[in-house]
Structures are given as C-alpha cells and as structure tokens.
Amino acid sequence: MKTNSLGLELKKAEILAAELNILLANFQVYYQNLRGLHWNIRGKRFFDLHIKFEELYNDSQLKIDLIAERILTLGGRPLHTFEDYIKNNKLFVGKDISKDVDAVNLIVNSLTQLLKIERVILKQSDEALDEGTNSMMSDFIKEQEKTIWMMKAWLEEEI
C-alpha cells in the first residue's frame, strides 16, 4: 500500500479529491445561485433576505476556497471552469428568482443536495483515516443542517 506525505493511501486520497471536486462544482453553482437571489430578491422581506443571501454567499466563497485547498492538499487539482461545474452539478440552477419563498426553497433544496455529497465524502474520509477532510465535512454538515432548520422555520415547515 503506497501512501502520500500525509500518510494517506494514494488511491483513497485520489478518490477523495475526485469527490471533493464534485462538491466544489456544486458549491460554485450554489454560490452563483445565492448571488442571483441577492441581486434579484423583491418584496416586503427584501432587506432581511438581501442581507442573509449576502451572508450565505460570503460563507460559500470561503468554503469553496477550503474545498479547493483540500483537493490540492490531497494531491488533486481543483476544477475551475464553468464547463466542469455544470458537468458535475447536481443542484437546481435558479434563474430569475425574485419571490422570497421560492428563494428560500432553492436554498433548502441546494443545501439538502450538498449534504448528500458531503455525507458520502464524510464516510469515505473516515474509511481513509483522513481526519482533515473528515473534520471539514463535519463542520460543513453541522452549519448547513442549522441553516436548513432556520430556513424551514422561516418557511413555517417542519425539518
């Protein structure tokens, strides 16, 4: 069994980098959706949601950088073209969404899909004894679960 400088099996690190690239692509789409929501939101809840969407896209931008750096740390190369992002995207692309409920539903649905991808990576990183990736996924999952809970509360829906 060959390992890298981090002590991780090369094949497992390669698989994790590939899965992280899928997450990276989906986060890029999520980020762009949030920018569109921020720019296009209308109505009586404009001020609150405009600020919230900016908070979420700033957080996503930080996570995108963390994911790309983790891919590099594992010896991979981060995806960086829109073509690659769309090819690997599993999220609904929100276009011209200006209604508050539609916008919040897009966020909930996007985060739900991101959680699915992250849980796959969490399991694989656990099996690979990759604490760095595992810890990052745990942190992402915890934050996103809380955001989903808050968005569902805003929608007056059960989790």
Side-chain angles (χ1 to χ4, degrees):
M1 159 181 74
K2 290 188 175 189
T3 59
N4 61 19
S5 300
L6 305 176
L8 301 174
E9 288 181 42
L10 287 174
K11 186 63 179 164
K12 289 182 179 180
E14 183 181 309
I15 291 168
L16 280 166
E19 291 293 329
L20 284 165
N21 259 321
I22 291 169
L23 181 61
L24 177 65
N26 282 270
F27 250 100
Q28 290 283 20
V29 171
Y30 176 58
Y31 169 81
Q32 199 57 45
N33 277 343
L34 291 167
R35 295 299 303 240
L37 297 176
H38 173 76
W39 293 329
N40 292 304
I41 195 69
R42 301 282 181 267
K44 295 177 183 175
R45 296 184 179 110
F46 169 83
F47 291 106
D48 293 332
L49 290 176
H50 186 74
I51 291 167
K52 186 62 175 177
F53 297 157
E54 183 174 6
E55 173 190 317
L56 290 171
Y57 75 65
N58 285 332
D59 178 68
S60 294
Q61 193 172 35
L62 294 173
K63 284 181 171 64
I64 286 165
D65 197 51
L66 290 172
I67 296 165
E69 289 174 351
R70 189 66 195 167
I71 293 166
L72 289 163
T73 300
L74 293 172
R77 179 170 286 217
L79 298 177
H80 59 277
T81 66
F82 289 113
E83 178 184 14
D84 287 334
Y85 300 154
I86 295 302
K87 185 171 87 175
N88 289 283
N89 179 47
K90 298 177 183 186
L91 305 183
F92 178 79
V93 175
K95 184 175 180 183
D96 298 328
I97 295 175
S98 60
K99 293 182 181 171
D100 55 2
V101 171
D102 294 340
V104 173
N105 274 317
L106 177 62
I107 292 169
V108 169
N109 292 334
S110 296
L111 289 173
T112 300
Q113 285 302 119
L114 290 172
L115 283 172
K116 289 177 185 177
I117 298 166
E118 291 161 354
R119 286 195 171 101
V120 167
I121 297 168
L122 182 69
K123 184 174 189 251
Q124 290 174 335
S125 62
D126 185 51
E127 292 168 359
L129 303 176
D130 176 2
E131 183 58 31
T133 302
N134 195 279
S135 175
M136 185 171 69
M137 288 305 101
S138 292
D139 291 346
F140 285 13
I141 289 168
K142 181 176 68 174
E143 288 178 37
Q144 290 161 4
E145 287 175 341
K146 184 176 180 180
T147 302
I148 289 172
W149 160 66
M150 291 178 163
M151 293 292 170
K152 290 285 223 173
W154 185 93
L155 290 165
E156 298 181 9
E157 295 178 1
E158 295 298 317
I159 198 75

